[in-house]
Amino acid sequence: MHWGDIVRTKVNAFGPLVLGIDPMPSHAPSALGSAPDTFLPQYTSALLDGAESKVGFVKFQSAYFEAFGSGGVLALARCIAMARERRFAVILDAKRGDIGATAAAYAQAYLTPGAGDLEVDCLTVNPFLGPETLTPFIDCARSFGKGVFVLVKTSNEGSGWLQDQRIDGVQVSHRIADLVSVWADETLGGYEVGAVGAVVGATYPAEASHLRQMMPRSVILAPGLGVQGGDPAAMAGMATDTGPVLISASRGITAIEDRSLSVGEYVGVVSARIDAFRRQMGVMSDKAS
Amino acid sequence: MHWGDIVRTKVNAFGPLVLGIDPMPSHAPSALGSAPDTFLPQYTSALLDGAESKVGFVKFQSAYFEAFGSGGVLALARCIAMARERRFAVILDAKRGDIGATAAAYAQAYLTPGAGDLEVDCLTVNPFLGPETLTPFIDCARSFGKGVFVLVKTSNEGSGWLQDQRIDGVQVSHRIADLVSVWADETLGGYEVGAVGAVVGATYPAEASHLRQMMPRSVILAPGLGVQGGDPAAMAGMATDTGPVLISASRGITAIEDRSLSVGEYVGVVSARIDAFRRQMGVMSDKAS
């Protein structure tokens, strides 16, 4: 299914919230263990239980799996399979980027149907090496309807160091947004939403609003809620018919201080926090909770 | 051992050549197989045989392992172990970059002693998200002497789209080089070579020469030989006492057309090509081959 159609369908059914899965044992119940082959699948399973029938998208952050070594990546493959079986749309936040045949190898790993056990619906990619290096990813969007999120304006405090700077009078983030907009128009799905979208931090709402207009047929992925302080209602309000805004929260939903919680209690906490985020985004009325 | 000291020692013993390991079955002997758990270790083993006592450094390109799925990353861990056992200095070309705790997770995966089976001596990182996002990697350089190569000017044709552009009159690549130079001075080893260096494509020799002067105590990693057309002698000539230049070749050493070669014949081809590159770099006289 085309990424734009997946997004449109899931947003209609569940709203724009994306559950970010950033596994760290230090912020999870001790009962989930800490070894990669137990902790990572059990943690993911608990989060999916809490998100069931409330959230349409999960975003795995590759770094937290890689931090466990090769066993962590093996577990990532299992977690991706688990999420797909349970009908969540799966985003992998891996921010890959390289040149020529090497970029093609990344596209093979993550965005080529049937290629391997790390295949996902959508991948984040880094444009630093130049637009032509993103071609293999865009080709997967063209050929298979796979989703691509290009980093345009990231949520961190120092993202302006490069992304806000002007080159011949035009901000770097805007130069990239112009490309994303073209690639989106070349990869439209049934709902007129392109398969190529952008990462735009929820921490910069004014900038996000402008970028929303620059990329009218792209999905925007907006991280930076919760810990980083982005405003979910403001971001949700920027969505248009052809330009959905997905809003991801990770630690704001998943991190706990009291590691003695049972797994069942943890699922309850996750579920309640998801309800709270959905209310803030206007997906549920207060009464519905 | 501090990365700067590793580089100085290996360059003195073997010269500046880095063997790039970019495994693709389509450019390797059929006898090496194609499944990740057989092809990847056997291919790496054959290359290490061909490089034995001639090359001090290997550079694994993570993408080509990830392209095999999680089994490829499992094999990468085995290949890293194999190279370390055989006393090669190990660079992982993964171009990672992310924000805050996520960047720290990548630093944990690849640059933290004893953390896991993907630990290497040196990692390539991407500065697009801003200098503060590189902090966890620089911290590993400071605390453990681990090596970091920041992308400064990449070898691809389109790298100028962003990297050559001027912001307030200063090229993006130069802004990054200024930071690398400071980080290098903060992480000097016994030979006055910093642990933080830069990727500078061999395809831009004039620019590389200028960048060499801007980062006098950094190791430069120069890819782009062979297929991409960089000049090994010109790059080797830019080395200084405190600023070694490592020159990596991948397909120029490893790719073959005739897949019917035996493994032994393939090792011979690899070995002969390494000799040819070393001669071009002035490491061996013609007679010594």
Side-chain angles (χ1 to χ4, degrees):
Chain A
M1 194 172 174
H2 185 281
W3 174 245
D5 300 349
I6 294 175
V7 170
R8 199 65 280 165
T9 311
K10 293 285 186 195
V11 168
N12 288 347
F14 304 107
L17 184 62
V18 176
L19 169 65
I21 302 185
D22 297 10
M24 283 187 278
S26 57
H27 295 93
S30 310
L32 292 171
S34 61
D37 58 339
T38 51
F39 170 68
L40 293 170
Q42 288 173 10
Y43 177 79
T44 299
S45 179
L47 293 185
L48 297 183
D49 286 346
E52 186 78 45
S53 76
K54 296 180 177 190
V55 174
F57 308 86
V58 296
K59 176 171 82 68
F60 291 103
Q61 174 47 261
S62 191
Y64 294 99
F65 292 85
E66 294 174 49
F68 285 87
S70 65
V73 179
L74 208 63
L76 172 61
R78 284 178 60 194
C79 294
I80 289 171
M82 200 187 297
R84 291 174 75 122
E85 273 161 29
R86 294 175 69 166
R87 308 281 174 168
F88 290 92
V90 178
I91 302 164
L92 183 66
D93 194 358
K95 299 186 174 61
R96 295 301 193 257
D98 212 302
I99 69 173
T102 307
Y106 282 129
Q108 168 82 6
Y110 300 108
L111 295 181
T112 302
D117 61 5
L118 297 174
E119 182 197 340
V120 290
D121 298 310
C122 185
L123 181 73
T124 58
V125 301
N126 183 317
F128 180 74
L129 286 81
E132 103 276 16
T133 65
L134 299 182
T135 302
F137 304 108
I138 310 302
D139 285 347
C140 289
R142 282 202 187 91
S143 303
F144 315 122
K146 286 290 189 181
V148 176
F149 284 122
V150 182
L151 301 183
V152 168
K153 170 64 182 169
T154 56
S155 63
N156 55 306
E157 209 175 332
S159 65
W161 184 82
L162 179 55
Q163 299 162 25
D164 290 356
Q165 303 306 312
R166 287 172 188 275
I167 293 170
D168 296 335
V170 181
Q171 270 178 233
V172 169
S173 58
H174 294 186
R175 286 163 62 101
I176 303 167
D178 280 337
L179 294 169
V180 169
S181 176
V182 171
W183 289 326
D185 285 348
E186 293 169 3
T187 58
L188 296 179
Y191 293 87
E192 300 293 305
V193 176
V196 182
V199 172
V200 178
T203 42
Y204 300 101
E207 183 65 16
S209 174
H210 185 72
L211 289 164
R212 164 74 297 165
Q213 290 167 31
M214 293 184 70
M215 300 177 285
R217 281 168 296 279
S218 286
V219 187
I220 283 180
L221 174 65
L225 292 193
V227 177
Q228 294 184 63
D231 176 354
M235 292 309 298
M238 293 175 199
T240 68
D241 279 351
T242 60
V245 178
L246 303 185
I247 303 170
S248 78
S250 304
R251 279 170 288 171
I253 292 174
T254 63
I256 54 165
E257 296 298 319
D258 178 7
R259 299 193 58 204
S260 71
L261 284 188
S262 73
V263 176
E265 288 167 332
Y266 181 58
V267 171
V269 167
V270 167
S271 177
R273 288 179 179 171
I274 287 173
D275 288 342
F277 270 117
R278 296 181 81 211
R279 273 195 300 275
Q280 282 183 275
M281 292 169 193
V283 176
M284 300 161 64
S285 71
D286 273 345
K287 287 176 195 158
S289 71
Chain B
M1 193 172 174
H2 184 281
W3 174 245
D5 300 349
I6 293 174
V7 171
R8 199 67 277 166
T9 310
K10 293 285 186 195
V11 168
N12 288 348
F14 304 107
L17 183 62
V18 177
L19 170 65
I21 301 185
D22 297 10
M24 284 186 279
S26 57
H27 295 92
S30 310
L32 292 171
S34 60
D37 58 340
T38 50
F39 170 68
L40 293 169
Q42 288 173 9
Y43 177 80
T44 298
S45 178
L47 293 185
L48 298 182
D49 286 346
E52 187 78 45
S53 75
K54 296 180 176 188
V55 175
F57 308 87
V58 296
K59 176 171 82 69
F60 291 103
Q61 174 46 259
S62 191
Y64 295 98
F65 291 84
E66 294 174 50
F68 285 87
S70 64
V73 180
L74 209 63
L76 172 61
R78 284 178 60 194
C79 294
I80 290 171
M82 200 187 298
R84 291 174 74 120
E85 272 161 30
R86 294 174 68 165
R87 309 280 172 169
F88 290 91
V90 178
I91 301 164
L92 183 66
D93 193 358
K95 300 186 173 61
R96 295 301 193 257
D98 212 303
I99 69 174
T102 307
Y106 282 129
Q108 167 82 7
Y110 299 108
L111 295 181
T112 302
D117 61 5
L118 297 174
E119 183 197 340
V120 289
D121 298 310
C122 184
L123 180 74
T124 57
V125 301
N126 184 316
F128 180 74
L129 286 82
E132 103 277 17
T133 66
L134 298 182
T135 302
F137 304 108
I138 309 303
D139 285 347
C140 289
R142 282 202 187 89
S143 303
F144 315 122
K146 285 290 188 181
V148 175
F149 284 122
V150 182
L151 301 184
V152 167
K153 171 64 181 169
T154 56
S155 63
N156 56 306
E157 209 176 332
S159 66
W161 183 82
L162 180 54
Q163 298 161 26
D164 291 356
Q165 303 306 312
R166 288 172 188 277
I167 293 170
D168 297 335
V170 181
Q171 270 179 233
V172 169
S173 58
H174 294 186
R175 286 164 61 102
I176 303 167
D178 279 337
L179 293 169
V180 168
S181 176
V182 170
W183 288 327
D185 285 348
E186 293 170 3
T187 58
L188 296 179
Y191 293 87
E192 300 293 305
V193 176
V196 182
V199 172
V200 177
T203 42
Y204 299 101
E207 183 64 16
S209 175
H210 185 72
L211 289 164
R212 164 74 297 165
Q213 289 166 32
M214 292 184 70
M215 301 177 285
R217 281 167 297 279
S218 286
V219 187
I220 283 180
L221 174 66
L225 292 192
V227 177
Q228 294 184 63
D231 175 354
M235 293 308 299
M238 292 175 199
T240 68
D241 279 351
T242 60
V245 178
L246 302 185
I247 303 168
S248 77
S250 304
R251 279 170 289 172
I253 292 174
T254 63
I256 54 166
E257 295 299 317
D258 178 7
R259 298 193 59 206
S260 71
L261 285 187
S262 73
V263 176
E265 288 167 333
Y266 181 59
V267 171
V269 168
V270 167
S271 177
R273 289 180 179 170
I274 288 172
D275 288 342
F277 270 117
R278 297 181 81 211
R279 273 196 300 275
Q280 283 184 276
M281 291 169 192
V283 177
M284 299 162 63
S285 71
D286 271 345
K287 287 176 193 157
S289 72

